[in-house]
């Protein structure tokens, strides 16, 4: 016989099987019987076993302690007003709370409200409130560090794109022209030292243009006939500059460098070092330093005001040629040319084969003497020519322009961190490779990172300790 667990359909409860209903079904399991909904008094009368909605609602109100929502009109304040209980804060050390499980209602301070604890709590709250901003700042800093320190192809490409952009870095406006393979082994033999000089010089320029987003044009200066009847060696730079202007139509400035040059401070950009303050870094009046004793300005009545002026029109926009001067005159181991119609005219006249035929036997320094001749005799050249101090872009080592090498106008000074060194004339009685090596090592030393300086300091300390130990062993 199966016993059904279905409740009885009769009013008053019970089970459909008589054997399952006991006298304890109305008991809650406690020692004192609990009142049921049927025992609640409704309007002063007992409800019996009948459970109505009114009885349940009355019971709910009795338990919850506040009236439930009602659409009946019980008054404005009874419907809308609510009694508010404000929290009480306890900053002391007493723990006499009514509810022991909620220790320290209000703000909790560690270490019983000590100064250190309050500081930690304030800092923690500040970090939580500023979490998003803090994460954004940290992310930006990490992005900058990765952008400048990593060497992946993508990041290097992004760095170069940033440097080259005209409205950000502006590197696309500058082209570095480096003369390589000087002579090409035709006029003189190229040994291991000559190749080592060329390798170091090329690597130095490549590293510099990669850092700042410039273009680099390495020109093969192998000796060859430009015309059927002449070699015209060392004059190629004029024709090379003209070819580079056609190759880089977006570039504005072209920087010529001889092979025996070394950029000592790669952290200097051309913009910050020269062109952002071009008026302050250059001068138009050659009388400021005039080793050639050129008469300036012209005094012919037929010339315009710019040709008769000491400084031309005085505007940096009209400067198209920037040349340093050493102890003997113009020095074209490092100079700047700007793209313009004036420059095209100058290059055409400078490269003129007629002038070469007539004067090349007299001009010892070839294209350099040719430019000096044009400057001294052509009034239209001076208003667009500016001079720059020698050490700004073309410092000399000891042995060039004097044996002492202490002239502050020409010679390299380590304490001043000169931008570039030109080992001009090193092939005439000096050691070109020795000078290149010494300046390369000095540049590496001066441009070490903080971590490299730290490692070198530790290595120096260890070496000194070892040297002292060996000396003591020898004495013993």
């Amino acid at each position: 016989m199966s016993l059904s667990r279905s409740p009885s359909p009769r009013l008053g409860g019970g089970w459909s099987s008589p054997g399952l209903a006991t006298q304890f079904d109305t008991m809650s399991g406690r020692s004192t019987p609990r009142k049921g909904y049927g025992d609640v008094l409704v309007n002063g009368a007992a409800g019996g076993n009948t459970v109505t909605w009114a009885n349940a609602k009355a019971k709910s109100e009795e338990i919850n302690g506040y009236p439930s929502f009602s659409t009946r009109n019980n008054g404005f304040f009874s419907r809308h007003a609510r009694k508010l209980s404000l929290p009480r804060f306890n900053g002391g050390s007493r723990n006499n709370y009514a509810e022991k499980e909620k220790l320290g209602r209000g703000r909790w301070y560690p270490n019983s409200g000590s100064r250190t604890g309050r500081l930690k709590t304030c800092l923690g709250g500040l970090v939580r409130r500023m979490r998003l901003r803090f994460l954004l700042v940290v992310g930006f800093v990490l992005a900058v560090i990765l952008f400048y320190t990593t060497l992946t192809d993508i990041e290097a490409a992004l760095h170069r794109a940033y440097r080259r952009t005209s409205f950000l870095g502006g590197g696309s406006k500058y082209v570095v022209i480096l003369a390589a393979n000087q002579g090409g082994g035709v006029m003189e033999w190229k040994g291991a030292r000559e190749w080592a000089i060329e390798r170091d010089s090329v690597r130095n320029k490549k590293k510099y243009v990669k850092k700042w987003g410039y273009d680099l044009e390495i020109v093969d200066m192998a000796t060859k006939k430009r015309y059927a009847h002449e070699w015209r060696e060392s004059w190629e730079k004029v024709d090379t500059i003209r070819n580079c202007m056609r190759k880089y139509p977006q570039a504005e400035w072209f920087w010529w460098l001889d092979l025996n040059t070394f950029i000592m401070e790669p952290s200097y950009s051309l913009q910050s070092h020269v062109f952002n303050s071009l008026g302050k870094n250059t001068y138009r009046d050659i009388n400021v330093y005039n080793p050639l004793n050129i008469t300036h300005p012209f005094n012919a009545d037929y010339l315009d005001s710019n040709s008769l002026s000491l400084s031309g029109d005085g505007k940096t926009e009209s400067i198209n040629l920037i040349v340093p001067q050493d102890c003997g005159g113009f020095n074209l181991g490092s100079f700047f040319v700007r793209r313009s119609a004036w420059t095209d005219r100058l290059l055409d006249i400078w490269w003129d084969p007629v002038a070469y035929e007539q004067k090349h036997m007299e001009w010892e320094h070839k294209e350099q003497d040719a430019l000096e001749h044009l400057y001294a005799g052509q009034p239209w050249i001076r208003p667009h020519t500016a001079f720059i101090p020698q050490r700004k872009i073309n410092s000399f080592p000891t042995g060039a322009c004097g044996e002492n090498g202490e002239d502050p106008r020409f010679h390299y000074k380590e304490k001043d961190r000169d931008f570039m060194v030109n080992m001009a004339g090193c092939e005439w009685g000096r050691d070109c490779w020795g000078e290149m090596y010494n300046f390369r090592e000095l540049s590496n030393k001066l441009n070490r990172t903080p971590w490299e300086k730290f490692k070198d300091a530790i290595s120096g300390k260890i070496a000194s300790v070892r040297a002292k130990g060996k000396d003591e062993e020898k004495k013993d």
Side-chain angles (χ1 to χ4, degrees):
M1 171 180 167
S2 62
L3 300 177
S4 173
R5 299 290 294 180
S6 302
S8 174
R10 296 179 302 164
L11 296 176
W15 301 92
S16 60
S17 300
L20 295 179
T22 65
Q23 61 179 345
F24 301 103
D25 285 346
T26 59
M27 303 296 290
S28 63
R30 298 178 297 178
S31 60
T32 303
R34 176 179 57 83
K35 288 184 179 183
Y37 285 112
D39 298 330
V40 178
L41 295 176
V42 180
N43 295 328
N49 291 330
T50 303
V51 180
T52 64
W53 172 252
N55 293 342
K57 181 180 179 183
K59 185 64 177 177
S60 177
E61 292 177 355
E62 179 182 356
I63 294 173
N64 293 335
Y66 57 88
S68 62
F69 174 78
S70 176
T71 58
R72 293 179 299 175
N73 187 10
N74 294 326
F76 176 82
F77 290 101
S78 62
R79 291 200 310 269
H80 299 282
R82 176 177 295 179
K83 184 178 180 180
L84 300 177
S85 59
L86 298 176
R88 297 181 180 180
F89 298 92
N90 190 352
S93 60
R94 294 183 302 165
N95 294 326
N96 54 345
Y97 310 119
E99 300 181 52
K100 298 297 183 180
E101 70 276 10
K102 297 182 180 179
L103 297 177
R105 288 193 177 189
R107 190 172 301 278
W108 175 73
Y109 295 105
N111 300 328
S112 300
S114 64
R115 184 174 300 176
T116 305
R118 290 196 298 270
L119 179 61
K120 292 181 180 179
T121 303
C122 293
L123 291 177
L126 180 63
V127 170
R128 285 192 296 272
R129 290 192 298 270
M130 303 292 290
R131 184 180 302 169
L132 180 59
R133 299 178 184 177
F134 177 75
L135 291 177
L136 290 175
V137 172
V138 171
F140 176 76
V141 172
L142 290 177
V144 172
I145 293 174
L146 291 175
F147 187 71
Y148 281 96
T149 58
T150 54
L151 298 176
T152 61
D153 294 338
I154 296 178
E155 288 160 349
L158 290 175
H159 184 270
R160 179 173 174 80
Y162 162 75
R163 292 293 192 189
R164 287 184 58 79
T165 306
S166 59
F167 58 88
L168 291 176
S172 60
K173 296 181 180 179
Y174 304 91
V175 177
V176 179
I177 306 174
L178 177 64
N181 195 23
Q182 191 76 33
V186 176
M187 297 299 178
E188 61 182 9
W189 177 258
K190 292 183 67 172
R193 286 175 170 260
E194 287 73 22
W195 287 114
I197 292 172
E198 183 168 322
R199 181 179 61 250
D200 285 350
S201 181
V202 171
R203 185 189 298 118
N204 174 249
K205 310 309 184 298
K206 285 184 176 180
K207 181 179 179 181
Y208 181 72
V209 299
K210 182 179 180 181
K211 178 179 179 63
W212 294 107
Y214 307 143
D215 286 306
L216 176 63
E217 183 70 15
I218 302 176
V219 183
D220 184 6
M221 302 293 287
T223 302
K224 53 191 173 185
K225 290 185 178 182
R226 296 288 177 174
Y227 296 92
H229 61 286
E230 63 188 6
W231 289 103
R232 220 172 169 176
E233 65 276 3
S234 107
W235 285 70
E236 303 95 314
K237 65 179 61 175
V238 180
D239 195 36
T240 299
I241 293 173
R242 193 164 51 182
N243 293 334
C244 286
M245 287 185 175
R246 289 193 290 264
K247 184 176 180 179
Y248 301 95
Q250 303 299 325
E252 181 182 2
W253 284 97
F254 298 83
W255 183 23
W256 176 274
L257 289 175
D258 283 350
L259 182 64
N260 293 330
T261 57
F262 198 88
I263 298 175
M264 298 294 293
E265 298 295 335
S267 61
Y268 297 174
S269 68
L270 295 178
Q271 296 94 311
S272 62
H273 188 60
V274 178
F275 292 100
N276 288 347
S277 301
L278 189 59
K280 296 180 180 179
N281 293 325
T282 59
Y283 59 94
R284 304 281 194 95
D285 185 5
I286 195 175
N287 295 314
V288 173
Y289 177 67
N290 192 358
L292 299 174
N293 295 320
I294 297 175
T295 302
H296 182 73
F298 289 100
N299 54 10
D301 297 336
Y302 61 87
L303 297 176
D304 59 7
S305 59
N306 290 339
S307 299
L308 296 174
S309 172
L310 289 172
S311 302
D313 60 3
K315 299 179 181 179
T316 57
E317 294 80 5
S318 63
I319 297 177
N320 294 316
L321 176 65
I322 303 176
V323 180
Q325 293 190 93
D326 58 22
C327 53
F330 293 7
N331 187 286
L332 299 183
S334 171
F335 68 99
F336 293 97
V337 176
R338 187 179 198 170
R339 180 191 300 277
S340 65
W342 179 93
T343 303
D344 292 337
R345 182 184 178 188
L346 173 67
L347 294 176
D348 287 341
I349 297 177
W350 196 356
W351 181 250
D352 183 13
V354 176
Y356 172 82
E357 282 292 331
Q358 295 177 351
K359 294 288 188 179
H360 75 280
M361 297 301 294
E362 302 177 15
W363 292 336
E364 179 182 359
H365 298 98
K366 304 169 185 178
E367 82 291 346
Q368 191 166 283
D369 290 343
L371 181 61
E372 293 173 349
H373 177 79
L374 291 174
Y375 181 87
Q378 300 294 330
W380 61 274
I381 291 180
R382 298 191 188 185
H384 298 275
T385 303
F387 301 97
I388 190 168
Q390 174 78 8
R391 287 176 53 198
K392 195 73 176 178
I393 63 169
N394 200 35
S395 297
F396 278 173
T398 303
C401 277
E403 298 180 358
N404 296 328
E406 298 178 355
D407 195 322
R409 296 173 297 179
F410 315 124
H411 296 105
Y412 175 83
K413 299 296 181 183
E414 178 182 344
K415 64 178 182 179
D416 295 333
R417 304 293 291 267
D418 288 349
F419 176 46
M420 199 199 71
V421 176
N422 180 8
M423 280 71 76
C426 63
E427 62 272 14
W428 306 103
R430 305 202 321 264
D431 184 4
C432 294
W433 164 243
E435 292 182 0
M436 177 69 75
Y437 176 82
N438 291 333
F439 281 111
R440 184 193 68 187
E441 294 301 310
L442 178 59
S443 177
N444 293 336
K445 176 183 176 182
L446 295 176
N447 293 280
R448 290 175 299 171
T449 63
W451 173 245
E452 291 173 340
K453 293 179 180 179
F454 174 76
K455 291 193 298 182
D456 291 345
I458 297 299
S459 301
K461 291 291 184 181
I462 295 175
S464 63
V465 170
R466 289 179 178 176
K468 290 182 180 179
K470 291 181 179 180
D471 292 340
E472 292 177 357
E473 290 179 358
K474 290 180 179 179
K475 291 180 180 179
D476 295 339

